[in-house]
Amino acid sequence: MNLRAMIFPPSPATAASAGLLLLRGFAGLAMASHGWGKIQDPFHWMDKADSPPPAVFQFLAAVAEFFGGLGLAVGLFSVIAAFGITCTMVVAIQHHVAKGDPFGKWELGALYLCISVLVLLGGPGRFSLDAMVRSRLGSNRDG
């Protein structure tokens, strides 16, 4: 599989793509809203913790949540956005589980993880900006 096919995967059937549009749209906007506060101060949003992670990791999480959420919502660079969200949610879930938090504390992160893995493995569907880019790249091949 080439890089273009990995970033802009083929789309599933129309009905599945409609479901993906709804799922991506809602989950992406919700994820972006979670990242909004973090992106306001992306290097220090966890400074209130006893031992906050390094600033670069805080930055990556803020970018993944805010811009990754927007990317999912509109279906632009969805696979890259889903990868960032997947990494961020794995760390968030691991953090809550290590603290001994009950399922209710990390269930939303697990749901975002499942959605991002779906988009990461299956693509954003026909109703996405990625599908438009893929069709233009396919029709503008230089040989």
Side-chain angles (χ1 to χ4, degrees):
M1 181 179 265
N2 65 30
L3 183 59
R4 181 184 297 176
M6 286 175 59
I7 295 174
F8 304 109
S11 298
T14 302
S17 290
L20 280 168
L21 173 64
L22 291 173
L23 188 65
R24 277 189 307 98
F26 183 79
L29 291 176
M31 177 57 64
S33 74
H34 285 286
W36 175 248
K38 296 170 182 142
I39 205 72
Q40 301 303 307
D41 190 10
F43 292 99
H44 304 288
W45 59 269
M46 288 187 77
D47 278 352
K48 297 172 189 91
D50 290 340
S51 59
V56 67
F57 293 129
Q58 293 183 56
F59 173 78
L60 290 172
V63 167
E65 287 187 24
F66 183 69
F67 293 108
L70 293 177
L72 276 188
V74 299
L76 183 61
F77 300 115
S78 303
V79 172
I80 296 168
F83 178 75
I85 292 169
T86 297
C87 293
T88 302
M89 292 302 105
V90 166
V91 172
I93 292 166
Q94 181 183 11
H95 171 75
H96 284 291
V97 169
K99 283 181 22 181
D101 288 342
F103 179 67
K105 286 280 193 169
W106 53 270
E107 69 180 303
L108 186 57
L111 183 59
Y112 285 130
L113 173 65
C114 291
I115 293 167
S116 64
V117 168
L118 172 67
V119 174
L120 181 63
L121 297 177
R126 292 181 183 189
F127 308 118
S128 64
L129 293 176
D130 284 339
M132 291 173 51
V133 169
R134 185 183 62 254
S135 69
R136 290 194 182 222
L137 286 175
S139 64
N140 291 333
R141 289 201 173 149
D142 293 325

